[in-house]
Amino acid sequence: MTSQKGSKTAPGRSTTMADVAKLAGVGKMTVSRLLSGSANVSKETAERVQRAIRMLNYQPNELARSLRSPHSKTIALILPYLYDPFFATCAHAVSTVATQHGYSVLITTSDEKTDIEQQQVAHMLRRRIDGMIIIPAPNEEDYLRGKDFESVHIVTLDRPATHSRFDSVLVNNRAGARAGVAHLIEHGHKTIAFLGLAKDLFTMQARYNGYREAMTGAGLTPELYIECRSNEETVTLVHSLLTEKRPPTALFAGNNLTMRYLLHALNMLRIDVPGQIALAGFDDFDIADVLQPALTVVRQPVYQVGEMAANLLFQRISRGEYPAKGHRVVLPTELVIRRSCGCHRESRVTFGAKSVADTTHE
Amino acid sequence: MTSQKGSKTAPGRSTTMADVAKLAGVGKMTVSRLLSGSANVSKETAERVQRAIRMLNYQPNELARSLRSPHSKTIALILPYLYDPFFATCAHAVSTVATQHGYSVLITTSDEKTDIEQQQVAHMLRRRIDGMIIIPAPNEEDYLRGKDFESVHIVTLDRPATHSRFDSVLVNNRAGARAGVAHLIEHGHKTIAFLGLAKDLFTMQARYNGYREAMTGAGLTPELYIECRSNEETVTLVHSLLTEKRPPTALFAGNNLTMRYLLHALNMLRIDVPGQIALAGFDDFDIADVLQPALTVVRQPVYQVGEMAANLLFQRISRGEYPAKGHRVVLPTELVIRRSCGCHRESRVTFGAKSVADTTHE
DNA sequence: CTGAAAGCGCTAACAT
DNA sequence: ATGTTAGCGCTTTCAG
């Protein structure tokens, strides 16, 4: 270990508003007023104060500010994971909008576990945030009903808030999945399997419902929900699926992760797409168009989902209203037809116009 | 617009420590002491206070706490984008470690622009964070030298901090790229092109240097750095590259984004990999092994990079030291051999053991 | 237009 | 073991 130069302790306390005031020969309030820009300060004193601020390199302490004022200028963002590109993009959008509004974002992950989420929410509340955006974990135990939540603005994203007065931003999961599966049906497929993640995820249920609607609507019988947990498991699952007596001729993947599991499995089992089996899925991703074959997917407006959630939140914050019923915004999805479905040329169909509605409880 | 039930204003101020103290019939300090667990409180009063806390559902105000104590229990994380899987994974790691330490994370993005980054840093400083983790934008103007930064702990990640006393966590870019290119050379390729993002990115320079070392080390002449900015541009670039009089027979992609551009271009131009041209790149990603052909890549320990950065930061914070020289941790990379290089069976070579060194200035 | 006093909710330092 | 006093850095209120 080499000897280190450098101080053990941080330099003495930083310069405060009082220091600036003294140097400028004014009262603290004049400095405060100048900074907030709210009230009138004469040209001359303003200049003097400005100079003092620059000389001392004064930086207002936002913590102290927050303690006094009703706004902490901070929002919280709670999501399951950050390494899922969908969530990451939402987070980026939220961060961008927050910056535009002069707000900071406290971010944290729940790992899809309700208890961790609840803990994180409580922690955020103690930090006196002005609002929060949550992608709620499944089986939310309705802790958001408590009294503590009466004075926070909350928007949920990707999944609805159960029994609540909060706003939600969702995409048209059911219609999107229905359209994707319907397209597979148009190709003449009669037996189509739906593969998804954990069944208790809202999005998976909604998409599975869309799948069932498409099937029954075409007079076909929907298959059971197939839950994929890993690459390995999916290989087994797909293998047994294809050796059934009436194997599916097409597959629909519930999201981009499921799709990756599926691609891996199909690859391992050396099954040709779309030759031996057709493929489509929910959620577009970066190289879906570069894959061989290019993937047919239902695309959701990822960035807009995050952006919209943030905008709704700031609307609430600035209005300071706590309505009894939340809004539910449903963003449209789009069917991006590429090759994995069996098509020979690419095209797009937008599905489900943006809708805003009062939340019906449940 | 339907009429909304709900209050216009938030309910009156939340319960404070004084409320708890009054209800429990004790002084504020007793409550404070109980909560911090630091000093002795008698069994009986402790119970009374606990009961009062539960009855009122008291939540301590962390803001007020931070104002008084020297720690805000908050760190900042500043990165270019969140939608890059590399950064997102780092962010996830940082968030996880921070939670373990009871810390909150303020996150924000710089869009690779130094001025935005500087602004964000200043903003964080005003919020009295205990430390920050930065993935610095190129051409950092050395603003981190200022007096304001004397009392903050800073760790940079993925890229070094120029002229500074801060810790950095990097990966072995040069050695990794060198190994990747060397492998291509082993396949008998004599003309190999390097494609990267903006040239001013530290990682791109380091990897390009590794490429050049591998080439000259084998007695070959390195080609010029090829900068890719988009799918479209890359198509043109690759096309003209392959119609030169002495076209490359192998390509090395500087990171996962470049690789995607490249895959798109190769796809458009209907060039077979590895038949017509061999391919390798830096940075593994989720479905690199599912692609046809599976991609040979230099893998970096993404999560560990973020984790290490966070650990270094908390070490600094807990020790409260401000040494004159920072540490530089270099994490090893690993060559993951799959098919795009021309190999027929897969294997792995770890390259460059983890090293820790005092930062040499520059 | 400007200032002095009070206090946001908490904890450190000194009482008792 | 517990209470009292002071004050973190700021803004709100009330006076000039």
Side-chain angles (χ1 to χ4, degrees):
Chain A
M1 199 56 83
T2 62
S3 76
Q4 307 256 18
K5 276 176 293 181
S7 54
K8 169 87 186 179
T9 54
R13 50 167 268 300
S14 48
T15 67
T16 77
M17 196 176 257
D19 300 330
V20 175
K22 187 153 49 158
L23 181 61
V26 296
K28 283 194 299 177
M29 269 323 290
T30 308
V31 181
S32 176
R33 274 191 271 256
L34 183 76
L35 259 51
S36 66
S38 56
N40 294 332
V41 180
S42 82
K43 265 267 148 63
E44 295 173 14
T45 32
E47 293 246 320
R48 275 217 315 286
V49 174
Q50 293 281 20
R51 199 159 36 231
I53 288 176
R54 254 174 287 130
M55 290 198 60
L56 298 172
N57 197 331
Y58 167 68
Q59 303 287 105
N61 184 332
E62 294 291 342
L63 241 41
R65 223 173 230 185
S66 303
L67 185 60
R68 203 68 183 80
S69 79
H71 294 304
S72 63
K73 291 273 189 182
T74 309
I75 61 169
L77 175 60
I78 303 179
L79 24 72
Y81 316 108
L82 224 29
Y83 48 75
D84 180 317
F86 175 84
F87 298 144
T89 304
C90 288
H92 193 97
V94 170
S95 165
T96 303
V97 175
T99 301
Q100 284 163 8
H101 287 257
Y103 266 69
S104 301
V105 179
L106 280 167
I107 201 170
T108 187
T109 54
S110 70
D111 197 29
E112 294 284 20
K113 305 212 177 82
T114 311
D115 52 337
I116 296 185
E117 179 186 314
Q118 185 165 1
Q119 233 171 273
Q120 297 291 351
V121 166
H123 186 227
M124 293 302 185
L125 249 32
R126 287 196 290 267
R127 305 209 36 154
R128 296 301 187 266
I129 47 139
D130 295 341
M132 45 207 303
I133 294 177
I134 311 180
I135 300 180
N139 304 319
E140 169 202 339
E141 316 241 348
D142 229 9
Y143 64 88
L144 294 171
R145 281 176 155 295
K147 245 190 82 189
D148 315 343
F149 299 94
E150 280 173 9
S151 54
V152 216
H153 298 283
I154 300 187
V155 176
T156 73
L157 183 157
D158 191 44
R159 308 166 188 177
T162 56
H163 307 281
S164 86
R165 55 170 187 72
F166 306 128
D167 294 339
S168 295
V169 180
L170 312 171
V171 302
N172 209 333
N173 290 294
R174 192 147 43 97
R178 199 197 307 132
V181 175
H183 180 74
L184 253 16
I185 294 173
E186 281 170 27
H187 274 282
H189 297 285
K190 306 254 181 260
T191 313
I192 303 174
F194 181 97
L195 310 244
L197 291 183
K199 217 172 179 169
D200 55 1
L201 289 172
F202 168 82
T203 46
M204 288 299 151
Q205 283 169 11
R207 292 167 198 175
Y208 183 57
N209 286 338
Y211 155 84
R212 295 205 307 184
E213 281 180 19
M215 293 298 278
T216 55
L220 303 171
T221 35
E223 307 288 314
L224 290 179
Y225 184 104
I226 301 176
E227 187 173 332
C228 306
R229 265 173 279 223
S230 67
N231 270 339
E232 295 68 34
E233 199 187 61
T234 308
V235 173
T236 319
L237 245 30
V238 171
H239 179 75
S240 65
L241 200 61
L242 298 183
T243 49
E244 281 174 358
K245 56 182 168 193
R246 201 164 154 276
T249 59
L251 265 26
F252 189 83
N255 78 341
N256 71 55
L257 186 52
T258 324
M259 180 60 98
R260 290 205 296 260
Y261 291 156
L262 211 44
L263 289 173
H264 178 262
L266 261 15
N267 202 19
M268 294 293 284
L269 300 168
R270 306 196 180 287
I271 294 166
D272 179 57
V273 177
Q276 290 175 264
I277 202 158
L279 198 56
F282 206 103
D283 202 3
D284 199 7
F285 55 93
D286 250 334
I287 55 173
D289 61 328
V290 168
L291 286 168
Q292 294 295 358
L295 261 28
T296 290
V297 294
V298 178
R299 179 187 293 168
Q300 42 184 342
V302 189
Y303 189 87
Q304 285 87 326
V305 169
E307 195 178 32
M308 172 69 77
N311 282 330
L312 281 177
L313 183 61
F314 284 113
Q315 222 170 80
R316 283 280 166 113
I317 289 175
S318 66
R319 295 212 186 127
E321 284 172 2
Y322 295 83
K325 269 189 174 186
H327 289 301
R328 183 177 290 206
V329 178
V330 179
L331 264 27
T333 54
E334 179 188 24
L335 180 60
V336 180
I337 296 174
R338 292 197 274 241
R339 302 295 164 78
S340 63
C341 57
C343 276
H344 291 298
R345 37 169 228 174
E346 314 199 341
S347 64
R348 285 189 198 177
V349 189
T350 299
F351 196 85
K354 176 183 142 185
S355 76
V356 183
D358 282 354
T359 301
T360 53
H361 281 213
E362 198 68 19
Chain B
M1 202 50 88
T2 61
S3 77
Q4 307 255 18
K5 276 176 291 182
S7 53
K8 168 87 186 178
T9 55
R13 48 166 267 302
S14 49
T15 67
T16 77
M17 197 176 255
D19 300 329
V20 175
K22 186 152 53 158
L23 181 61
V26 297
K28 283 194 298 178
M29 271 320 290
T30 308
V31 182
S32 175
R33 275 190 270 255
L34 183 77
L35 259 50
S36 65
S38 57
N40 294 332
V41 179
S42 82
K43 265 264 147 61
E44 295 174 12
T45 34
E47 294 247 321
R48 274 218 316 285
V49 174
Q50 294 281 21
R51 197 158 39 231
I53 288 176
R54 251 173 289 130
M55 289 197 60
L56 299 172
N57 197 332
Y58 166 68
Q59 303 287 105
N61 184 332
E62 293 292 342
L63 242 40
R65 231 173 223 185
S66 303
L67 187 60
R68 204 69 184 77
S69 78
H71 295 303
S72 64
K73 290 275 190 180
T74 310
I75 61 170
L77 175 59
I78 303 180
L79 25 70
Y81 316 108
L82 224 30
Y83 47 75
D84 179 317
F86 175 85
F87 299 144
T89 304
C90 288
H92 192 97
V94 170
S95 165
T96 304
V97 175
T99 301
Q100 284 164 8
H101 286 258
Y103 266 69
S104 301
V105 179
L106 280 168
I107 201 169
T108 187
T109 53
S110 70
D111 198 28
E112 294 283 21
K113 305 214 177 82
T114 310
D115 53 335
I116 296 185
E117 179 185 314
Q118 183 165 1
Q119 232 169 275
Q120 296 291 350
V121 166
H123 187 227
M124 293 302 185
L125 249 32
R126 286 196 289 269
R127 307 214 29 158
R128 297 300 187 266
I129 47 140
D130 295 342
M132 45 206 304
I133 294 177
I134 311 180
I135 298 180
N139 304 320
E140 168 201 340
E141 317 243 347
D142 230 10
Y143 64 88
L144 293 170
R145 281 175 156 292
K147 246 189 82 190
D148 314 343
F149 300 93
E150 281 172 9
S151 54
V152 214
H153 298 283
I154 300 187
V155 176
T156 73
L157 184 156
D158 191 45
R159 308 165 188 178
T162 56
H163 309 281
S164 86
R165 55 170 188 71
F166 306 127
D167 293 339
S168 295
V169 181
L170 311 172
V171 302
N172 209 333
N173 290 294
R174 191 146 44 95
R178 200 198 306 133
V181 174
H183 180 75
L184 251 18
I185 293 173
E186 280 170 27
H187 273 282
H189 297 285
K190 306 256 182 258
T191 312
I192 304 174
F194 181 97
L195 311 244
L197 291 182
K199 217 172 179 170
D200 57 359
L201 288 172
F202 167 82
T203 47
M204 288 300 150
Q205 282 170 12
R207 291 167 198 174
Y208 183 57
N209 286 338
Y211 155 83
R212 294 207 305 183
E213 281 180 21
M215 293 298 277
T216 56
L220 303 171
T221 35
E223 307 287 314
L224 290 178
Y225 185 104
I226 300 176
E227 187 172 332
C228 307
R229 266 174 277 224
S230 67
N231 270 340
E232 294 68 34
E233 198 189 60
T234 307
V235 173
T236 318
L237 245 30
V238 171
H239 179 73
S240 65
L241 200 62
L242 299 183
T243 49
E244 279 175 0
K245 56 181 168 192
R246 201 163 154 277
T249 58
L251 265 26
F252 190 83
N255 78 341
N256 71 55
L257 186 53
T258 324
M259 179 61 98
R260 289 206 296 260
Y261 291 157
L262 211 44
L263 290 172
H264 179 262
L266 261 15
N267 203 19
M268 294 293 284
L269 300 169
R270 304 195 182 287
I271 294 166
D272 180 55
V273 178
Q276 291 174 263
I277 201 157
L279 198 57
F282 206 104
D283 203 3
D284 199 8
F285 55 93
D286 249 334
I287 55 171
D289 61 327
V290 168
L291 286 168
Q292 295 295 359
L295 261 26
T296 292
V297 293
V298 178
R299 179 187 292 168
Q300 42 184 341
V302 188
Y303 189 88
Q304 284 87 326
V305 169
E307 196 178 30
M308 173 69 75
N311 282 331
L312 281 177
L313 183 62
F314 284 113
Q315 224 169 75
R316 282 280 165 109
I317 289 175
S318 66
R319 295 210 186 129
E321 285 171 3
Y322 295 84
K325 271 190 174 185
H327 289 301
R328 183 178 289 206
V329 178
V330 179
L331 263 26
T333 54
E334 180 188 24
L335 179 60
V336 181
I337 295 173
R338 294 195 271 241
R339 301 296 164 78
S340 64
C341 56
C343 277
H344 291 300
R345 38 169 227 176
E346 314 199 341
S347 64
R348 284 190 199 175
V349 190
T350 299
F351 196 87
K354 176 182 141 185
S355 77
V356 183
D358 284 353
T359 302
T360 53
H361 281 211
E362 198 68 20

